[in-house]
Amino acid sequence: MIFYLFLSVLFVAATACAIAISVADFRRRIIPDAYLMPLFLIGLLVVNIVPGWVCGPRTSAIGAFAGYALGAGVGYIFDYVRRRHNPDADTPIGMGDIKLLATGGLWMGPTGLAIALVLSCLFGGIWARARHQQFIPFAPFFIAGAILALIAEIFLL
């Protein structure tokens, strides 16, 4: 009984952090560590204490590393290409986005991370196309894709 109450509190806190991250990225183009690090720590707890979670601790660590490496690699490539054409340009991918990818990989493992990335790119592309915008806040779309990926992993995979 206490275990399920504890899990409920963790999931409510994780949901609050995810909403705060999405709102901050949408409004200010920043993902605050004050919300991201608790989400990461809650993910560590969930992966290690929930039996039958979508991924085990080892797969979770691989997913976190893959998310961080993928985000850093893509960010480096975009930064390099953009700075060759315009030295004064802003960095298209910030460290908050990279840490968010690592957090997503921690929660879902590499398979869920891949599903979440595909969905977030799809949702973000549709949103940018409909609104005719160049800037796409990554966090809201990644979190929506991550939620759908978790549902898919729990019920379909």
Side-chain angles (χ1 to χ4, degrees):
M1 177 71 175
I2 293 176
F3 178 72
Y4 294 114
L5 181 62
F6 180 67
L7 275 182
S8 298
V9 169
L10 285 179
F11 286 126
V12 167
T15 303
C17 288
I19 290 169
I21 287 168
S22 295
V23 169
D25 193 30
F26 196 79
R27 288 184 181 166
R28 297 179 304 191
R29 298 177 61 176
I30 191 166
I31 299 174
D33 285 343
Y35 305 122
L36 189 58
M37 289 303 117
L39 186 62
F40 189 84
L41 293 174
I42 292 168
L44 278 174
L45 279 172
V46 167
V47 166
N48 286 298
I49 67 171
V50 175
W53 186 250
V54 295
C55 61
R58 182 174 293 150
T59 308
S60 176
I62 293 169
F65 177 77
Y68 194 88
L70 181 68
V74 168
Y76 178 76
I77 291 168
F78 281 173
D79 193 41
Y80 178 77
V81 169
R82 183 173 258 194
R83 291 200 189 271
R84 287 192 77 201
H85 297 292
N86 184 4
D88 298 327
D90 286 340
T91 304
I93 295 177
M95 282 303 295
D97 296 325
I98 295 169
K99 290 183 276 189
L100 183 63
L101 282 172
T103 302
L106 176 82
W107 274 85
M108 299 174 291
T111 305
L113 179 66
I115 295 168
L117 279 172
V118 168
L119 291 174
S120 65
C121 290
L122 181 67
F123 296 155
I126 291 169
W127 181 81
R129 188 86 156 144
R131 308 254 341 237
H132 303 290
Q133 291 194 338
Q134 291 181 332
F135 165 71
I136 302 170
F138 180 67
F141 300 111
F142 180 74
I143 289 172
I147 290 168
L148 290 175
L150 273 174
I151 291 169
E153 279 192 304
I154 291 170
F155 295 110
L156 300 177
L157 299 178

